[in-house]
Amino acid sequence: MVNKIYSQKKLSLKPYNTFNIDVQVNDFIKIQTEEELINALQQFPNPFILGGGSNMLLTQNIEKPVFHIQIKGISIEKETEDFVWIKAQAGENWHKFVLYTLNQGFGGLENLSLIPGNVGTTPIQNIGAYGIEIKDVMENCEAIHVKTFKKKTFSNADCKFAYRESIFKNEEKGNYIITSVTFKLTKRNHILHTEYGAIKDVLSQREIKNPTPKDISEAVIFIRESKLPDPKKIGNSGSFFKNPIVIKMKFEKLQEKYPKMPFYELNQEDVKIPAGWLIDTCKLKGYRKGDAGVHEKQALVLVNYGNATGSEILEIAHFVKNEVKEKFDIELEFEVNIF
């Protein structure tokens, strides 16, 4: 027997998305267990899935029923002397989960500290920061099919991870709802990633020569807090644009004109250029139109100063994209999902 799932009617999603966009939904359903999820799918097919609300820009009211995934729980699946496999349910707050693993002495997630959102959405976007992506630490994830209600385990390889991409954004888009993610973390002999200059600088300032995973996390938190706005104070969704990847020949031509252009060589053919630098060089940092704008400290971030609509922020995003295209002949891609 299916237990009846009740929905809240005519609700604003403003408290549930980090851009603080005020859009309305007809049905809002809290999901706290996998059983509730399956029951809800049977009663409310074709839902709109909401986690931490951190990687989205809402431009219109949501006609579909909204499932707010709040499944909680953290458990150790297995461990050896060197490694631990730890499972987190989809509704766990990502940063709190990262801090939990660090407090247990586990390494692997420290570079991903202070990224907003929940655990369940991290594989979809293959979130990354400071040289680490989810694909480097994820063992597998479990998901329920929206039509058959069957649970499937996706291995790391199954997810087809790429830069800010996964199978869940492409061929399986909308077909599965992730319910848990398992990570393989280190218990000792931690592999620390301090190659980014900003991390090195903070560690140097703090006179830390042999950093622990916690030291790295604290450095990342310090860096992020110093240049990224707190969504609780000013609406935003973190980095709005992907860092573009261009072929080496094109980069070398640009470098002749802009010798101070920062870059990261990905391989012999491809170079990644920081989108923030491109936007900043177009003199768009701090650009504002009404309550929508480009953040004054970090050009990658678009912000809602108060009562901007999603459409007004999207208009700013396209303006930025056009300016970068005109100046550098580089096509920026949105990292944030537009609805």
Side-chain angles (χ1 to χ4, degrees), residues 51-95:
S54 64
N55 198 52
M56 55 170 56
L57 177 63
L58 302 170
T59 62
Q60 57 192 327
N61 292 336
I62 309 296
E63 301 299 327
K64 294 180 177 183
V66 172
F67 289 8
H68 190 210
I69 307 299
Q70 299 178 4
I71 307 171
K72 304 278 188 179
I74 298 170
S75 58
I76 290 176
E77 298 298 287
K78 64 175 180 176
E79 58 184 312
T80 64
E81 288 184 359
D82 293 310
F83 299 102
V84 61
W85 286 259
I86 187 166
K87 179 192 281 190
Q89 301 300 316
E92 290 287 342
N93 174 272
W94 173 253
H95 180 58

Side-chain angles (χ1 to χ4, degrees), residues 265-317:
E265 284 191 22
L266 299 178
N267 50 51
Q268 290 185 331
E269 298 172 359
D270 299 312
V271 177
K272 185 189 289 185
I273 301 171
W277 183 89
L278 297 172
I279 299 165
D280 195 11
T281 305
C282 290
K283 295 183 169 52
L284 294 176
K285 191 185 283 184
Y287 174 82
R288 178 172 177 171
K289 186 177 179 184
D291 273 353
V294 180
H295 190 244
E296 58 187 14
K297 289 185 181 177
Q298 174 51 271
L300 261 185
V301 179
L302 302 188
V303 292
N304 174 8
Y305 286 105
N307 296 308
T309 65
S311 297
E312 288 168 344
I313 289 169
L314 186 59
E315 185 183 326
I316 295 279

Side-chain angles (χ1 to χ4, degrees), residues 13-42:
L13 283 188
K14 187 165 185 173
Y16 297 97
N17 70 96
T18 61
F19 254 123
N20 299 330
I21 302 296
D22 185 13
V23 299
Q24 302 295 309
V25 298
N26 293 323
D27 290 289
F28 184 84
I29 300 106
K30 294 178 181 178
I31 305 293
Q32 296 178 315
T33 66
E34 289 186 5
E35 184 184 15
E36 284 183 0
L37 176 58
I38 292 168
N39 287 342
L41 284 168
Q42 290 170 327

Side-chain angles (χ1 to χ4, degrees), residues 74-217:
I74 298 170
S75 58
I76 290 176
E77 298 298 287
K78 64 175 180 176
E79 58 184 312
T80 64
E81 288 184 359
D82 293 310
F83 299 102
V84 61
W85 286 259
I86 187 166
K87 179 192 281 190
Q89 301 300 316
E92 290 287 342
N93 174 272
W94 173 253
H95 180 58
K96 287 181 181 176
F97 172 63
V98 171
L99 295 183
Y100 173 85
T101 65
L102 291 166
N103 287 333
Q104 303 301 309
F106 305 148
L109 303 182
E110 55 276 356
N111 291 55
L112 303 175
S113 298
L114 211 62
I115 294 176
N118 288 354
V119 167
T121 50
T122 60
I124 299 172
Q125 191 74 3
N126 184 24
I127 65 167
Y130 301 103
I132 292 292
E133 294 176 313
I134 281 296
K135 70 175 179 62
D136 302 317
V137 285
M138 194 196 89
E139 181 78 3
N140 60 56
C141 64
E142 294 176 325
I144 289 175
H145 196 281
V146 298
K147 297 284 197 299
T148 66
F149 318 133
K150 289 182 178 176
K151 186 191 282 190
K152 178 176 177 177
T153 300
F154 288 82
S155 69
N156 190 303
D158 290 337
C159 292
K160 299 184 181 178
F161 288 126
Y163 175 54
R164 301 297 179 268
E165 294 286 345
S166 73
I167 194 171
F168 304 108
K169 285 182 74 174
N170 295 292
E171 54 261 54
E172 294 294 358
K173 185 174 183 178
N175 292 335
Y176 284 92
I177 299 171
I178 294 172
T179 55
S180 71
V181 187
T182 299
F183 301 90
K184 181 183 178 183
L185 305 178
T186 52
K187 291 171 67 177
R188 61 183 187 181
N189 301 321
H190 306 297
I191 301 168
L192 302 179
H193 292 268
T194 60
E195 57 267 30
Y196 274 71
I199 293 177
K200 283 182 180 175
D201 291 344
V202 173
L203 293 175
S204 176
Q205 288 163 12
R206 296 179 178 185
E207 299 181 349
I208 298 171
K209 293 180 179 176
N210 297 300
T212 64
K214 256 190 171 178
D215 291 330
I216 304 293
S217 172

